[in-house]
Amino acid sequence: MRNIWTLYHKEMLESLRSYKLIWVPVVFIILGIMQPLTTYYMPEILKASGNVPPGMLEGYEMPGSAVVMAQALGQYGTIGMLILVLGVMNSLAGERSSGTIEMLLAKPVTPTAIVSAKWAAQLTVLVMALGLGAAGAAYYTEQLMGPLSWSNLAAAAGLYGLWLLCAVSLTLLFSAWLRGPAAAFLGLLAAAAMSLAHSLLPSLLDWTPAALTAISAEMMTEGDGMAWGPIFSAVILIVICVASASLFIHRKQLPE
């Protein structure tokens, strides 16, 4: 446990030096506040464009605060996930190419400790970014649209964060035996494949981690809809990714 804490402290220090602890939360905050601002000022934006048919804006109905907040969380499923995956793609691949992992393994440090520390560091960045982004989006949503249920918001953000953590864990796994760009591509591809499969067969695959996005939106808008199947499957997927990455590091299956 002491080795994991030492390696975790090292990872967080590197994240601070590379400004990851700053620019990733900033991007999430911008993504979060854009949704309520864009929704609220959409009539003015359409008027300024000058290409709006007469009478179109008269039927424009401002969505509720819960709906806008659910849409704000949904922004993190595309650009937000991309930012997180790009931030983790070289987590293991970069240290493999530089020989840092071999130096660590020469010491009384296990591959599990190395992977666990890196995963915990990425989790910390994710929690900070998503927490600040959701808080910023909630602030502007309440100011412009109306009050929110903060308990529903916390549950919805937690569910969405678990889905993002699945993508991060998958990228960390691929980073253990591939180069950074390939790891990022496969991580995004795996997440996209799960989302596509769930959208095509929602009733059959409602237990998969990809269902977390829909559950998160339902929790935000309706205050219920909690399903434990996707949560359990997401946790199992994350454990498999961390264990498999540790196994790859242990066997030193490194590309030339």
Side-chain angles (χ1 to χ4, degrees), residues 51-63:
N51 297 321
V52 182
M56 179 179 177
L57 295 179
E58 296 179 0
Y60 180 81
E61 183 177 352
M62 189 70 64

Side-chain angles (χ1 to χ4, degrees), residues 1-12 109 117:
M1 184 62 67
R2 180 180 299 178
N3 288 338
I4 295 178
W5 173 253
T6 302
L7 292 172
Y8 171 78
H9 184 268
K10 166 184 166 293
E11 292 296 323
M12 295 307 300
V109 178

